[in-house]
Amino acid sequence: MSGPPDVSGPRDLRCSDVDRERVAEALREAAGDGRLTLSELEERLEATFRARTYGDLEPMTRDLPAGPYPVPGLPVPARTVAA
């Protein structure tokens, strides 16, 4: 058996069921708003519930207005609003 996993930053930390549920809810809202198709929603939900780390979760909402999902320990990126 190898040693402990390499945790080089916050994105490598394990996410919880609560974290996965928060992302899933954001995805469902985006689909309800028409931002994701049903097939995109299903694909992202599957990946969300398979996610092990915050780094796995982050891309799920990156292209949504409310995203990306914040990673604990990292600053929340500033969102620019188009005029």
Side-chain angles (χ1 to χ4, degrees):
M1 184 167 174
S2 63
D6 178 30
V7 178
S8 59
R11 286 180 178 89
D12 296 326
L13 295 174
R14 293 282 183 144
C15 58
S16 70
D17 289 340
V18 171
D19 296 315
R20 286 184 279 276
E21 269 304 321
R22 286 182 184 148
V23 170
E25 184 55 32
L27 293 171
R28 290 182 195 107
E29 285 181 27
D33 292 343
R35 297 182 192 282
L36 297 174
T37 65
L38 184 56
S39 63
E40 289 172 319
L41 173 63
E42 290 174 3
E43 182 179 301
R44 290 187 192 202
L45 284 174
E46 287 176 16
T48 295
F49 289 112
R50 280 193 319 265
R52 292 183 182 167
T53 66
Y54 289 108
D56 294 337
L57 284 180
E58 195 175 24
M60 298 302 116
T61 57
R62 183 175 287 141
D63 61 344
L64 301 175
Y69 185 77
V71 175
L74 292 181
V76 176
R79 303 292 297 188
T80 56
V81 178

